[in-house]
């Protein structure tokens, strides 16, 4: 591998449940990704999807925009992910977390694996790529070191309308804010986090949009346990286990096949995402 993590970084990830900052993409690559996002917005407008665009970008965007899985597949990304998860990798989900300039939107403290139906696994990891400056002012994430060693804990649903999460879910334990770590990133840098780390993020009080492009990687042995089936995009190595329906990237932005597949996947995933909810889950942005 050309870009492996060193042993200390792997140890840090296993101890803390996160690792950052990783210098993954240079300024030219960030500019290219920003240009792709701008093109995607124009294509959405041409396709009459402007109103739906925030929701389309927010979940399973790898079914809609070819550049998303291309970025995930770059060796400078995958070599580092493979240092943690091993050689066989699939992309389960990709999402934009965009907080507009001066917006009040937040993410409540949660553990990712709570409503995904994937069980408690160490073989799922998020790579959060900054496409803007990410500071305390602009609403960076905050991680609680070592919290990934806990089980999936009970969460309460807030359904708060300023929350970027589908249920506004919040882990139902007290956390000493002093224990949490600010995840400060410059454009092109990435943070890794474990699916059970406690994490949250505050409002964006800056004058620029805070943009994260988020990749959720799994290994072939991870399995959907609540929904009837689930899909993932092979990225590297092999998968002969059969837990995932394999998908390929779309051929162009918002093509009909990609939109239809995403719709089908999300309908199935709702079974996991909505389990036990007292209100209907809306996919939100
Ligand atoms: O972008 C954020 O503020 C939160 C992202 C998050 O919760 C996640 O990637 O798991």
């Amino acid at each position: 591998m050309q870009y492996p993590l060193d042993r200390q970084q792997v140890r840090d990830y296993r101890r803390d449940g996160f690792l950052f900052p990783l210098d993954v993409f240079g300024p030219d690559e960030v500019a290219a990704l920003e240009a792709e996002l701008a093109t995607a917005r124009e294509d959405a407008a041409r396709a009459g999807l402007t109103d739906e665009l925030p929701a389309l970008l927010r979940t399973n965007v790898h079914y809609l925009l070819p550049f998303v899985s291309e970025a995930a597949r770059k060796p400078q990304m995958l070599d580092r992910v493979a240092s943690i998860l091993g050689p066989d990798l699939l992309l389960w989900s990709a999402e934009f977390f965009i907080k507009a300039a001066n917006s009040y939107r937040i993410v409540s403290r949660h553990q990712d694996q709570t409503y995904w139906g994937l069980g408690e696994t160490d073989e799922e990891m998020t790579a959060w790529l900054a496409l803007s400056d990410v500071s305390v002012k602009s609403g960076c994430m905050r991680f609680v070191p070592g919290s990934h060693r806990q089980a999936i804990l009970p969460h309460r649903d807030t359904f708060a309308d300023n929350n970027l999460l589908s249920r506004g879910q919040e882990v139902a334990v007290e956390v000493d804010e002093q224990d949490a770590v600010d995840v400060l990133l410059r454009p092109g840098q990435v943070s890794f986090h474990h699916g059970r780390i406690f994490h949250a993020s505050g409002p964006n009080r800056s004058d620029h949009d805070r943009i994260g492009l988020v990749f959720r990687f799994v290994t072939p042995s991870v399995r959907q346990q609540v929904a009837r089936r689930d899909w993932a995009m092979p990225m590297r190595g092999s998968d002969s286990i059969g837990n995932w329906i394999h998908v390929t990237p779309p051929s162009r932005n918002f093509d009909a096949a990609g939109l239809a597949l995403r719709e089908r996947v999300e309908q199935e995933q709702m079974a996991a995402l909505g389990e036990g909810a007292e209100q209907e889950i809306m996919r939100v942005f």
Side-chain angles (χ1 to χ4, degrees), residues 154-166:
H155 283 59
R156 51 184 162 244
D157 295 337
T158 69
F159 290 105
D161 64 3
N162 68 335
N163 202 312
L164 282 165
L165 300 180
S166 52

Side-chain angles (χ1 to χ4, degrees), residues 97 99 107 110 112 126 128 141 193 199 201 210 214 216:
F97 273 88
K99 289 181 187 166
V107 171
H110 67 287
D112 288 338
T126 292
W128 197 108
M141 287 191 291
H193 70 260
H199 60 294
S201 66
R210 193 224 65 168
V214 177
R216 320 276 189 196

Side-chain angles (χ1 to χ4, degrees), residues 12-19 143 145-146 148 192-194 197:
D12 288 350
Y13 173 82
R14 300 218 187 286
R15 184 195 58 218
D16 295 334
F18 58 82
L19 186 69
F143 293 147
H148 66 301
F192 283 172
H193 70 260
H194 186 286
I197 197 82

